[in-house]
Amino acid sequence: MQSSINRDGFLPPDPDELVAEGEPPFADAAPESAREKADQSLHHLQRELRLLQARIGLLRDDAEAALKAKATSVDANAHLQLGDYPWLKLAIATGAAFVAARAIRSLPFGVLLAGFAGHVSQTRRW
């Protein structure tokens, strides 16, 4: 009497697992018709499409979570550097720079050059 466990201690493989995909299970089995092959191909493609859609959904969720985490990190960093109302302080600084640039542009070039020359001469004396 022969045991159902092979010499390696494993059960023998199921005969259905030995049949490769697409092969008829028996030598005398009727080959699949073109319609059956097309239906199998369609079902396989639909399954692959569902898997790809699920993967794309996971990637979208991961990207959204990463963007939210980055935005939270940037906001926290701004609060650390600028204290309360960091965006208001940045807006005020930007506005002040804009006003200063407008004021400098309205000055005559000769006055600016004279001020710069005076500054250079003062720094050379030291």
Side-chain angles (χ1 to χ4, degrees):
M1 187 161 143
Q2 196 175 29
S3 171
S4 62
I5 297 178
N6 64 15
R7 64 186 161 117
D8 296 327
F10 300 110
L11 291 172
D14 187 17
D16 291 335
E17 292 176 3
L18 296 175
V19 176
E21 187 175 332
E23 287 183 12
F26 304 105
D28 60 346
E32 295 179 27
S33 68
R35 175 73 178 191
E36 289 171 343
K37 287 181 182 179
D39 285 343
Q40 282 183 347
S41 177
L42 176 64
H43 291 300
H44 179 72
L45 289 174
Q46 287 173 339
R47 182 174 179 266
E48 289 293 321
L49 181 63
R50 285 192 303 271
L51 288 173
L52 287 174
Q53 287 172 338
R55 288 179 186 157
I56 288 172
L58 289 174
L59 288 173
R60 280 187 184 144
D61 292 344
D62 288 347
E64 184 179 331
L67 286 175
K68 284 181 181 178
K70 183 67 176 174
T72 303
S73 171
V74 167
D75 189 50
N77 194 17
H79 280 283
L80 268 174
Q81 291 180 5
L82 299 172
D84 292 334
Y85 306 108
W87 307 116
L88 177 63
K89 291 177 182 177
L90 284 174
I92 290 171
T94 304
F98 177 77
V99 170
R102 285 289 199 171
I104 290 173
R105 283 185 185 170
S106 67
L107 291 175
F109 183 69
V111 173
L112 285 176
L113 188 58
F116 181 69
H119 177 69
V120 169
S121 68
Q122 287 292 327
T123 55
R124 284 188 144 198
R125 288 184 194 166
W126 293 93

mmCIF file of all heavy atoms in Angstrom, residues 13-64:
data_model
loop_
_atom_site.group_PDB
_atom_site.id
_atom_site.type_symbol
_atom_site.label_atom_id
_atom_site.label_comp_id
_atom_site.label_asym_id
_atom_site.label_seq_id
_atom_site.Cartn_x
_atom_site.Cartn_y
_atom_site.Cartn_z
ATOM 1 N N PRO A 13 1.073 16.870 -6.048
ATOM 2 C CA PRO A 13 0.289 17.973 -6.613
ATOM 3 C C PRO A 13 -1.052 17.494 -7.133
ATOM 4 O O PRO A 13 -1.213 16.340 -7.538
ATOM 5 C CB PRO A 13 1.161 18.495 -7.747
ATOM 6 C CG PRO A 13 2.073 17.374 -8.087
ATOM 7 C CD PRO A 13 2.271 16.586 -6.836
ATOM 8 N N ASP A 14 -1.984 18.407 -7.106
ATOM 9 C CA ASP A 14 -3.318 18.123 -7.622
ATOM 10 C C ASP A 14 -3.222 17.986 -9.140
ATOM 11 O O ASP A 14 -2.559 18.794 -9.798
ATOM 12 C CB ASP A 14 -4.251 19.282 -7.248
ATOM 13 C CG ASP A 14 -5.687 19.004 -7.603
ATOM 14 O OD1 ASP A 14 -6.030 17.831 -7.825
ATOM 15 O OD2 ASP A 14 -6.477 19.976 -7.654
ATOM 16 N N PRO A 15 -3.844 16.971 -9.727
ATOM 17 C CA PRO A 15 -3.750 16.808 -11.180
ATOM 18 C C PRO A 15 -4.259 18.024 -11.962
ATOM 19 O O PRO A 15 -3.763 18.328 -13.043
ATOM 20 C CB PRO A 15 -4.620 15.582 -11.474
ATOM 21 C CG PRO A 15 -4.752 14.872 -10.183
ATOM 22 C CD PRO A 15 -4.589 15.889 -9.107
ATOM 23 N N ASP A 16 -5.214 18.747 -11.385
ATOM 24 C CA ASP A 16 -5.719 19.929 -12.080
ATOM 25 C C ASP A 16 -4.659 21.027 -12.163
ATOM 26 O O ASP A 16 -4.667 21.857 -13.061
ATOM 27 C CB ASP A 16 -6.962 20.475 -11.384
ATOM 28 C CG ASP A 16 -8.147 19.539 -11.532
ATOM 29 O OD1 ASP A 16 -8.157 18.767 -12.512
ATOM 30 O OD2 ASP A 16 -9.046 19.589 -10.670
ATOM 31 N N GLU A 17 -3.719 21.031 -11.199
ATOM 32 C CA GLU A 17 -2.665 22.036 -11.215
ATOM 33 C C GLU A 17 -1.604 21.727 -12.257
ATOM 34 O O GLU A 17 -0.840 22.599 -12.667
ATOM 35 C CB GLU A 17 -2.009 22.131 -9.829
ATOM 36 C CG GLU A 17 -2.925 22.688 -8.764
ATOM 37 C CD GLU A 17 -2.271 22.663 -7.397
ATOM 38 O OE1 GLU A 17 -1.083 22.267 -7.290
ATOM 39 O OE2 GLU A 17 -2.947 23.043 -6.438
ATOM 40 N N LEU A 18 -1.515 20.476 -12.652
ATOM 41 C CA LEU A 18 -0.520 20.087 -13.641
ATOM 42 C C LEU A 18 -0.895 20.512 -15.050
ATOM 43 O O LEU A 18 -0.048 20.570 -15.928
ATOM 44 C CB LEU A 18 -0.296 18.569 -13.597
ATOM 45 C CG LEU A 18 0.290 18.036 -12.285
ATOM 46 C CD1 LEU A 18 0.347 16.521 -12.325
ATOM 47 C CD2 LEU A 18 1.653 18.623 -12.045
ATOM 48 N N VAL A 19 -2.152 20.813 -15.272
ATOM 49 C CA VAL A 19 -2.606 21.215 -16.598
ATOM 50 C C VAL A 19 -2.280 22.684 -16.782
ATOM 51 O O VAL A 19 -2.670 23.528 -15.978
ATOM 52 C CB VAL A 19 -4.133 20.973 -16.754
ATOM 53 C CG1 VAL A 19 -4.617 21.473 -18.097
ATOM 54 C CG2 VAL A 19 -4.442 19.510 -16.573
ATOM 55 N N ALA A 20 -1.537 22.993 -17.813
ATOM 56 C CA ALA A 20 -1.166 24.392 -18.081
ATOM 57 C C ALA A 20 -2.387 25.156 -18.536
ATOM 58 O O ALA A 20 -3.334 24.585 -19.103
ATOM 59 C CB ALA A 20 -0.083 24.443 -19.144
ATOM 60 N N GLU A 21 -2.355 26.465 -18.296
ATOM 61 C CA GLU A 21 -3.498 27.297 -18.683
ATOM 62 C C GLU A 21 -3.641 27.280 -20.199
ATOM 63 O O GLU A 21 -2.676 27.443 -20.933
ATOM 64 C CB GLU A 21 -3.279 28.727 -18.200
ATOM 65 C CG GLU A 21 -4.485 29.615 -18.403
ATOM 66 C CD GLU A 21 -4.276 30.992 -17.811
ATOM 67 O OE1 GLU A 21 -3.519 31.130 -16.844
ATOM 68 O OE2 GLU A 21 -4.886 31.929 -18.334
ATOM 69 N N GLY A 22 -4.844 27.067 -20.649
ATOM 70 C CA GLY A 22 -5.116 27.055 -22.072
ATOM 71 C C GLY A 22 -5.050 25.665 -22.687
ATOM 72 O O GLY A 22 -5.478 25.471 -23.809
ATOM 73 N N GLU A 23 -4.491 24.684 -21.982
ATOM 74 C CA GLU A 23 -4.428 23.318 -22.502
ATOM 75 C C GLU A 23 -5.689 22.564 -22.104
ATOM 76 O O GLU A 23 -6.208 22.759 -21.007
ATOM 77 C CB GLU A 23 -3.231 22.572 -21.909
ATOM 78 C CG GLU A 23 -1.906 22.987 -22.440
ATOM 79 C CD GLU A 23 -0.798 22.124 -21.843
ATOM 80 O OE1 GLU A 23 -1.106 21.095 -21.207
ATOM 81 O OE2 GLU A 23 0.363 22.484 -22.016
ATOM 82 N N PRO A 24 -6.184 21.725 -22.964
ATOM 83 C CA PRO A 24 -7.330 20.896 -22.547
ATOM 84 C C PRO A 24 -6.867 19.896 -21.494
ATOM 85 O O PRO A 24 -5.744 19.397 -21.552
ATOM 86 C CB PRO A 24 -7.777 20.198 -23.833
ATOM 87 C CG PRO A 24 -6.652 20.337 -24.786
ATOM 88 C CD PRO A 24 -5.826 21.497 -24.353
ATOM 89 N N PRO A 25 -7.691 19.611 -20.484
ATOM 90 C CA PRO A 25 -7.269 18.735 -19.397
ATOM 91 C C PRO A 25 -7.038 17.289 -19.835
ATOM 92 O O PRO A 25 -6.280 16.582 -19.207
ATOM 93 C CB PRO A 25 -8.406 18.838 -18.385
ATOM 94 C CG PRO A 25 -9.566 19.361 -19.134
ATOM 95 C CD PRO A 25 -9.022 20.140 -20.289
ATOM 96 N N PHE A 26 -7.660 16.868 -20.897
ATOM 97 C CA PHE A 26 -7.504 15.491 -21.378
ATOM 98 C C PHE A 26 -7.112 15.534 -22.844
ATOM 99 O O PHE A 26 -7.456 16.468 -23.570
ATOM 100 C CB PHE A 26 -8.820 14.707 -21.221
ATOM 101 C CG PHE A 26 -9.325 14.718 -19.809
ATOM 102 C CD1 PHE A 26 -10.411 15.507 -19.450
ATOM 103 C CD2 PHE A 26 -8.708 13.958 -18.832
ATOM 104 C CE1 PHE A 26 -10.872 15.532 -18.152
ATOM 105 C CE2 PHE A 26 -9.176 13.971 -17.537
ATOM 106 C CZ PHE A 26 -10.262 14.747 -17.183
ATOM 107 N N ALA A 27 -6.392 14.531 -23.253
ATOM 108 C CA ALA A 27 -5.920 14.498 -24.638
ATOM 109 C C ALA A 27 -7.073 14.429 -25.623
ATOM 110 O O ALA A 27 -6.992 14.975 -26.723
ATOM 111 C CB ALA A 27 -4.986 13.316 -24.833
ATOM 112 N N ASP A 28 -8.163 13.766 -25.231
ATOM 113 C CA ASP A 28 -9.279 13.629 -26.163
ATOM 114 C C ASP A 28 -10.335 14.716 -25.988
ATOM 115 O O ASP A 28 -11.411 14.654 -26.564
ATOM 116 C CB ASP A 28 -9.915 12.247 -26.016
ATOM 117 C CG ASP A 28 -10.452 12.014 -24.614
ATOM 118 O OD1 ASP A 28 -10.105 12.800 -23.715
ATOM 119 O OD2 ASP A 28 -11.202 11.038 -24.435
ATOM 120 N N ALA A 29 -10.051 15.751 -25.175
ATOM 121 C CA ALA A 29 -11.020 16.828 -24.968
ATOM 122 C C ALA A 29 -11.129 17.659 -26.242
ATOM 123 O O ALA A 29 -10.169 17.822 -26.986
ATOM 124 C CB ALA A 29 -10.584 17.716 -23.817
ATOM 125 N N ALA A 30 -12.315 18.169 -26.446
ATOM 126 C CA ALA A 30 -12.552 18.971 -27.650
ATOM 127 C C ALA A 30 -11.820 20.310 -27.521
ATOM 128 O O ALA A 30 -11.835 20.937 -26.465
ATOM 129 C CB ALA A 30 -14.040 19.202 -27.826
ATOM 130 N N PRO A 31 -11.165 20.741 -28.575
ATOM 131 C CA PRO A 31 -10.488 22.048 -28.513
ATOM 132 C C PRO A 31 -11.520 23.172 -28.395
ATOM 133 O O PRO A 31 -12.671 23.031 -28.819
ATOM 134 C CB PRO A 31 -9.730 22.131 -29.829
ATOM 135 C CG PRO A 31 -10.370 21.139 -30.733
ATOM 136 C CD PRO A 31 -10.996 20.089 -29.864
ATOM 137 N N GLU A 32 -11.094 24.255 -27.807
ATOM 138 C CA GLU A 32 -12.000 25.381 -27.597
ATOM 139 C C GLU A 32 -12.333 26.042 -28.934
ATOM 140 O O GLU A 32 -11.513 26.104 -29.836
ATOM 141 C CB GLU A 32 -11.341 26.414 -26.688
ATOM 142 C CG GLU A 32 -11.076 25.920 -25.300
ATOM 143 C CD GLU A 32 -10.399 26.991 -24.456
ATOM 144 O OE1 GLU A 32 -10.592 28.187 -24.733
ATOM 145 O OE2 GLU A 32 -9.684 26.621 -23.526
ATOM 146 N N SER A 33 -13.525 26.540 -28.998
ATOM 147 C CA SER A 33 -13.918 27.248 -30.208
ATOM 148 C C SER A 33 -13.330 28.664 -30.160
ATOM 149 O O SER A 33 -12.858 29.141 -29.131
ATOM 150 C CB SER A 33 -15.439 27.312 -30.316
ATOM 151 O OG SER A 33 -15.947 28.148 -29.296
ATOM 152 N N ALA A 34 -13.372 29.331 -31.287
ATOM 153 C CA ALA A 34 -12.848 30.700 -31.359
ATOM 154 C C ALA A 34 -13.645 31.623 -30.441
ATOM 155 O O ALA A 34 -13.091 32.535 -29.823
ATOM 156 C CB ALA A 34 -12.891 31.189 -32.794
ATOM 157 N N ARG A 35 -14.938 31.348 -30.340
ATOM 158 C CA ARG A 35 -15.794 32.166 -29.479
ATOM 159 C C ARG A 35 -15.387 32.014 -28.009
ATOM 160 O O ARG A 35 -15.294 32.994 -27.276
ATOM 161 C CB ARG A 35 -17.259 31.755 -29.697
ATOM 162 C CG ARG A 35 -18.261 32.407 -28.807
ATOM 163 C CD ARG A 35 -18.460 33.826 -29.191
ATOM 164 N NE ARG A 35 -19.481 34.424 -28.350
ATOM 165 C CZ ARG A 35 -20.007 35.575 -28.580
ATOM 166 N NH1 ARG A 35 -19.613 36.268 -29.625
ATOM 167 N NH2 ARG A 35 -20.912 36.071 -27.786
ATOM 168 N N GLU A 36 -15.121 30.785 -27.572
ATOM 169 C CA GLU A 36 -14.706 30.538 -26.193
ATOM 170 C C GLU A 36 -13.359 31.188 -25.908
ATOM 171 O O GLU A 36 -13.149 31.767 -24.845
ATOM 172 C CB GLU A 36 -14.657 29.037 -25.921
ATOM 173 C CG GLU A 36 -16.024 28.378 -25.860
ATOM 174 C CD GLU A 36 -15.914 26.861 -25.795
ATOM 175 O OE1 GLU A 36 -14.837 26.322 -26.105
ATOM 176 O OE2 GLU A 36 -16.912 26.231 -25.425
ATOM 177 N N LYS A 37 -12.444 31.110 -26.865
ATOM 178 C CA LYS A 37 -11.136 31.743 -26.698
ATOM 179 C C LYS A 37 -11.279 33.260 -26.592
ATOM 180 O O LYS A 37 -10.627 33.894 -25.770
ATOM 181 C CB LYS A 37 -10.211 31.388 -27.852
ATOM 182 C CG LYS A 37 -9.719 29.972 -27.814
ATOM 183 C CD LYS A 37 -8.794 29.695 -28.980
ATOM 184 C CE LYS A 37 -8.341 28.253 -28.977
ATOM 185 N NZ LYS A 37 -7.449 27.943 -30.104
ATOM 186 N N ALA A 38 -12.154 33.826 -27.421
ATOM 187 C CA ALA A 38 -12.371 35.273 -27.379
ATOM 188 C C ALA A 38 -13.001 35.679 -26.050
ATOM 189 O O ALA A 38 -12.620 36.706 -25.472
ATOM 190 C CB ALA A 38 -13.250 35.707 -28.545
ATOM 191 N N ASP A 39 -13.963 34.879 -25.571
ATOM 192 C CA ASP A 39 -14.587 35.177 -24.277
ATOM 193 C C ASP A 39 -13.563 35.103 -23.142
ATOM 194 O O ASP A 39 -13.553 35.963 -22.254
ATOM 195 C CB ASP A 39 -15.744 34.210 -23.997
ATOM 196 C CG ASP A 39 -16.989 34.525 -24.827
ATOM 197 O OD1 ASP A 39 -17.066 35.646 -25.362
ATOM 198 O OD2 ASP A 39 -17.856 33.638 -24.930
ATOM 199 N N GLN A 40 -12.708 34.089 -23.170
ATOM 200 C CA GLN A 40 -11.674 33.972 -22.142
ATOM 201 C C GLN A 40 -10.715 35.166 -22.200
ATOM 202 O O GLN A 40 -10.337 35.725 -21.171
ATOM 203 C CB GLN A 40 -10.889 32.672 -22.315
ATOM 204 C CG GLN A 40 -11.608 31.461 -21.797
ATOM 205 C CD GLN A 40 -10.736 30.218 -21.924
ATOM 206 O OE1 GLN A 40 -9.714 30.228 -22.609
ATOM 207 N NE2 GLN A 40 -11.173 29.154 -21.276
ATOM 208 N N SER A 41 -10.352 35.537 -23.408
ATOM 209 C CA SER A 41 -9.458 36.679 -23.568
ATOM 210 C C SER A 41 -10.112 37.959 -23.055
ATOM 211 O O SER A 41 -9.473 38.771 -22.380
ATOM 212 C CB SER A 41 -9.076 36.827 -25.040
ATOM 213 O OG SER A 41 -8.269 37.948 -25.231
ATOM 214 N N LEU A 42 -11.405 38.113 -23.360
ATOM 215 C CA LEU A 42 -12.135 39.295 -22.888
ATOM 216 C C LEU A 42 -12.194 39.326 -21.359
ATOM 217 O O LEU A 42 -11.945 40.359 -20.742
ATOM 218 C CB LEU A 42 -13.548 39.308 -23.478
ATOM 219 C CG LEU A 42 -14.461 40.441 -23.002
ATOM 220 C CD1 LEU A 42 -13.895 41.778 -23.459
ATOM 221 C CD2 LEU A 42 -15.864 40.233 -23.509
ATOM 222 N N HIS A 43 -12.500 38.193 -20.744
ATOM 223 C CA HIS A 43 -12.562 38.132 -19.278
ATOM 224 C C HIS A 43 -11.189 38.417 -18.661
ATOM 225 O O HIS A 43 -11.089 39.096 -17.646
ATOM 226 C CB HIS A 43 -13.093 36.775 -18.810
ATOM 227 C CG HIS A 43 -14.535 36.557 -19.126
ATOM 228 N ND1 HIS A 43 -15.533 37.378 -18.648
ATOM 229 C CD2 HIS A 43 -15.161 35.620 -19.884
ATOM 230 C CE1 HIS A 43 -16.705 36.954 -19.095
ATOM 231 N NE2 HIS A 43 -16.505 35.889 -19.849
ATOM 232 N N HIS A 44 -10.150 37.886 -19.305
ATOM 233 C CA HIS A 44 -8.795 38.135 -18.805
ATOM 234 C C HIS A 44 -8.454 39.626 -18.889
ATOM 235 O O HIS A 44 -7.913 40.205 -17.942
ATOM 236 C CB HIS A 44 -7.794 37.306 -19.612
ATOM 237 C CG HIS A 44 -6.380 37.506 -19.192
ATOM 238 N ND1 HIS A 44 -5.869 37.013 -18.017
ATOM 239 C CD2 HIS A 44 -5.361 38.176 -19.785
ATOM 240 C CE1 HIS A 44 -4.615 37.368 -17.910
ATOM 241 N NE2 HIS A 44 -4.266 38.072 -18.967
ATOM 242 N N LEU A 45 -8.779 40.253 -20.002
ATOM 243 C CA LEU A 45 -8.512 41.685 -20.163
ATOM 244 C C LEU A 45 -9.330 42.533 -19.189
ATOM 245 O O LEU A 45 -8.830 43.518 -18.639
ATOM 246 C CB LEU A 45 -8.792 42.119 -21.602
ATOM 247 C CG LEU A 45 -7.790 41.618 -22.651
ATOM 248 C CD1 LEU A 45 -8.265 41.981 -24.041
ATOM 249 C CD2 LEU A 45 -6.415 42.192 -22.388
ATOM 250 N N GLN A 46 -10.586 42.134 -18.961
ATOM 251 C CA GLN A 46 -11.412 42.869 -18.001
ATOM 252 C C GLN A 46 -10.839 42.755 -16.596
ATOM 253 O O GLN A 46 -10.827 43.726 -15.839
ATOM 254 C CB GLN A 46 -12.848 42.348 -18.035
ATOM 255 C CG GLN A 46 -13.606 42.763 -19.275
ATOM 256 C CD GLN A 46 -14.976 42.100 -19.371
ATOM 257 O OE1 GLN A 46 -15.228 41.068 -18.753
ATOM 258 N NE2 GLN A 46 -15.853 42.690 -20.186
ATOM 259 N N ARG A 47 -10.345 41.584 -16.250
ATOM 260 C CA ARG A 47 -9.730 41.383 -14.930
ATOM 261 C C ARG A 47 -8.478 42.248 -14.802
ATOM 262 O O ARG A 47 -8.255 42.904 -13.785
ATOM 263 C CB ARG A 47 -9.391 39.910 -14.741
ATOM 264 C CG ARG A 47 -8.798 39.599 -13.394
ATOM 265 C CD ARG A 47 -8.617 38.082 -13.221
ATOM 266 N NE ARG A 47 -8.026 37.801 -11.949
ATOM 267 C CZ ARG A 47 -6.722 37.640 -11.747
ATOM 268 N NH1 ARG A 47 -5.891 37.724 -12.765
ATOM 269 N NH2 ARG A 47 -6.252 37.381 -10.545
ATOM 270 N N GLU A 48 -7.653 42.246 -15.849
ATOM 271 C CA GLU A 48 -6.437 43.073 -15.832
ATOM 272 C C GLU A 48 -6.787 44.549 -15.715
ATOM 273 O O GLU A 48 -6.126 45.297 -15.003
ATOM 274 C CB GLU A 48 -5.607 42.824 -17.095
ATOM 275 C CG GLU A 48 -4.931 41.483 -17.147
ATOM 276 C CD GLU A 48 -3.845 41.352 -16.094
ATOM 277 O OE1 GLU A 48 -3.119 42.332 -15.857
ATOM 278 O OE2 GLU A 48 -3.737 40.266 -15.499
ATOM 279 N N LEU A 49 -7.838 44.971 -16.405
ATOM 280 C CA LEU A 49 -8.269 46.362 -16.343
ATOM 281 C C LEU A 49 -8.707 46.733 -14.929
ATOM 282 O O LEU A 49 -8.352 47.796 -14.422
ATOM 283 C CB LEU A 49 -9.405 46.618 -17.344
ATOM 284 C CG LEU A 49 -9.952 48.033 -17.403
ATOM 285 C CD1 LEU A 49 -8.878 48.995 -17.862
ATOM 286 C CD2 LEU A 49 -11.155 48.088 -18.319
ATOM 287 N N ARG A 50 -9.472 45.856 -14.267
ATOM 288 C CA ARG A 50 -9.886 46.119 -12.902
ATOM 289 C C ARG A 50 -8.690 46.206 -11.967
ATOM 290 O O ARG A 50 -8.634 47.071 -11.084
ATOM 291 C CB ARG A 50 -10.862 45.036 -12.424
ATOM 292 C CG ARG A 50 -12.261 45.167 -13.008
ATOM 293 C CD ARG A 50 -13.243 44.256 -12.296
ATOM 294 N NE ARG A 50 -12.866 42.851 -12.314
ATOM 295 C CZ ARG A 50 -13.204 41.986 -13.275
ATOM 296 N NH1 ARG A 50 -13.935 42.397 -14.297
ATOM 297 N NH2 ARG A 50 -12.820 40.725 -13.199
ATOM 298 N N LEU A 51 -7.699 45.340 -12.165
ATOM 299 C CA LEU A 51 -6.490 45.389 -11.340
ATOM 300 C C LEU A 51 -5.723 46.696 -11.558
ATOM 301 O O LEU A 51 -5.255 47.332 -10.603
ATOM 302 C CB LEU A 51 -5.586 44.195 -11.650
ATOM 303 C CG LEU A 51 -6.061 42.834 -11.150
ATOM 304 C CD1 LEU A 51 -5.157 41.727 -11.683
ATOM 305 C CD2 LEU A 51 -6.086 42.807 -9.640
ATOM 306 N N LEU A 52 -5.603 47.109 -12.818
ATOM 307 C CA LEU A 52 -4.906 48.359 -13.114
ATOM 308 C C LEU A 52 -5.643 49.563 -12.535
ATOM 309 O O LEU A 52 -5.028 50.489 -12.010
ATOM 310 C CB LEU A 52 -4.721 48.520 -14.624
ATOM 311 C CG LEU A 52 -3.681 47.602 -15.260
ATOM 312 C CD1 LEU A 52 -3.713 47.755 -16.770
ATOM 313 C CD2 LEU A 52 -2.299 47.888 -14.719
ATOM 314 N N GLN A 53 -6.980 49.550 -12.615
ATOM 315 C CA GLN A 53 -7.754 50.649 -12.041
ATOM 316 C C GLN A 53 -7.569 50.707 -10.528
ATOM 317 O O GLN A 53 -7.462 51.787 -9.950
ATOM 318 C CB GLN A 53 -9.236 50.498 -12.400
ATOM 319 C CG GLN A 53 -9.536 50.819 -13.845
ATOM 320 C CD GLN A 53 -10.967 50.491 -14.234
ATOM 321 O OE1 GLN A 53 -11.629 49.677 -13.596
ATOM 322 N NE2 GLN A 53 -11.446 51.118 -15.303
ATOM 323 N N ALA A 54 -7.518 49.549 -9.895
ATOM 324 C CA ALA A 54 -7.298 49.515 -8.445
ATOM 325 C C ALA A 54 -5.914 50.057 -8.102
ATOM 326 O O ALA A 54 -5.751 50.829 -7.151
ATOM 327 C CB ALA A 54 -7.455 48.090 -7.924
ATOM 328 N N ARG A 55 -4.911 49.687 -8.899
ATOM 329 C CA ARG A 55 -3.558 50.185 -8.648
ATOM 330 C C ARG A 55 -3.477 51.689 -8.861
ATOM 331 O O ARG A 55 -2.826 52.398 -8.088
ATOM 332 C CB ARG A 55 -2.561 49.478 -9.565
ATOM 333 C CG ARG A 55 -2.326 48.046 -9.183
ATOM 334 C CD ARG A 55 -1.364 47.365 -10.108
ATOM 335 N NE ARG A 55 -1.259 45.957 -9.799
ATOM 336 C CZ ARG A 55 -0.869 45.044 -10.654
ATOM 337 N NH1 ARG A 55 -0.542 45.390 -11.890
ATOM 338 N NH2 ARG A 55 -0.797 43.788 -10.293
ATOM 339 N N ILE A 56 -4.124 52.187 -9.899
ATOM 340 C CA ILE A 56 -4.136 53.635 -10.154
ATOM 341 C C ILE A 56 -4.824 54.358 -8.999
ATOM 342 O O ILE A 56 -4.381 55.413 -8.555
ATOM 343 C CB ILE A 56 -4.801 53.946 -11.502
ATOM 344 C CG1 ILE A 56 -3.887 53.512 -12.639
ATOM 345 C CG2 ILE A 56 -5.132 55.431 -11.629
ATOM 346 C CD1 ILE A 56 -4.520 53.603 -14.015
ATOM 347 N N GLY A 57 -5.907 53.778 -8.496
ATOM 348 C CA GLY A 57 -6.594 54.371 -7.349
ATOM 349 C C GLY A 57 -5.692 54.444 -6.125
ATOM 350 O O GLY A 57 -5.671 55.452 -5.421
ATOM 351 N N LEU A 58 -4.923 53.385 -5.888
ATOM 352 C CA LEU A 58 -3.988 53.398 -4.758
ATOM 353 C C LEU A 58 -2.901 54.446 -4.954
ATOM 354 O O LEU A 58 -2.525 55.154 -4.014
ATOM 355 C CB LEU A 58 -3.346 52.015 -4.591
ATOM 356 C CG LEU A 58 -4.257 50.914 -4.061
ATOM 357 C CD1 LEU A 58 -3.533 49.569 -4.073
ATOM 358 C CD2 LEU A 58 -4.711 51.253 -2.654
ATOM 359 N N LEU A 59 -2.401 54.564 -6.183
ATOM 360 C CA LEU A 59 -1.381 55.576 -6.457
ATOM 361 C C LEU A 59 -1.926 56.981 -6.262
ATOM 362 O O LEU A 59 -1.235 57.860 -5.727
ATOM 363 C CB LEU A 59 -0.834 55.407 -7.875
ATOM 364 C CG LEU A 59 0.062 54.191 -8.099
ATOM 365 C CD1 LEU A 59 0.400 54.056 -9.580
ATOM 366 C CD2 LEU A 59 1.319 54.292 -7.271
ATOM 367 N N ARG A 60 -3.164 57.210 -6.684
ATOM 368 C CA ARG A 60 -3.785 58.524 -6.486
ATOM 369 C C ARG A 60 -3.924 58.841 -4.994
ATOM 370 O O ARG A 60 -3.649 59.955 -4.556
ATOM 371 C CB ARG A 60 -5.155 58.573 -7.150
ATOM 372 C CG ARG A 60 -5.107 58.803 -8.615
ATOM 373 C CD ARG A 60 -6.505 59.008 -9.167
ATOM 374 N NE ARG A 60 -6.448 59.126 -10.606
ATOM 375 C CZ ARG A 60 -7.338 58.663 -11.437
ATOM 376 N NH1 ARG A 60 -8.401 58.043 -10.969
ATOM 377 N NH2 ARG A 60 -7.212 58.824 -12.730
ATOM 378 N N ASP A 61 -4.371 57.855 -4.244
ATOM 379 C CA ASP A 61 -4.516 58.050 -2.796
ATOM 380 C C ASP A 61 -3.167 58.352 -2.150
ATOM 381 O O ASP A 61 -3.063 59.235 -1.300
ATOM 382 C CB ASP A 61 -5.144 56.817 -2.142
ATOM 383 C CG ASP A 61 -6.591 56.608 -2.552
ATOM 384 O OD1 ASP A 61 -7.200 57.561 -3.083
ATOM 385 O OD2 ASP A 61 -7.102 55.489 -2.335
ATOM 386 N N ASP A 62 -2.125 57.613 -2.569
ATOM 387 C CA ASP A 62 -0.790 57.851 -2.021
ATOM 388 C C ASP A 62 -0.290 59.244 -2.386
ATOM 389 O O ASP A 62 0.299 59.937 -1.551
ATOM 390 C CB ASP A 62 0.199 56.806 -2.534
ATOM 391 C CG ASP A 62 -0.029 55.434 -1.931
ATOM 392 O OD1 ASP A 62 -0.788 55.342 -0.947
ATOM 393 O OD2 ASP A 62 0.543 54.459 -2.459
ATOM 394 N N ALA A 63 -0.513 59.667 -3.635
ATOM 395 C CA ALA A 63 -0.065 60.996 -4.060
ATOM 396 C C ALA A 63 -0.809 62.089 -3.300
ATOM 397 O O ALA A 63 -0.211 63.083 -2.877
ATOM 398 C CB ALA A 63 -0.266 61.158 -5.566
ATOM 399 N N GLU A 64 -2.096 61.900 -3.109
ATOM 400 C CA GLU A 64 -2.892 62.887 -2.371
ATOM 401 C C GLU A 64 -2.421 62.984 -0.920
ATOM 402 O O GLU A 64 -2.265 64.083 -0.378
ATOM 403 C CB GLU A 64 -4.367 62.500 -2.425
ATOM 404 C CG GLU A 64 -5.293 63.502 -1.777
ATOM 405 C CD GLU A 64 -6.753 63.075 -1.892
ATOM 406 O OE1 GLU A 64 -7.107 62.391 -2.861
ATOM 407 O OE2 GLU A 64 -7.523 63.447 -0.983
#
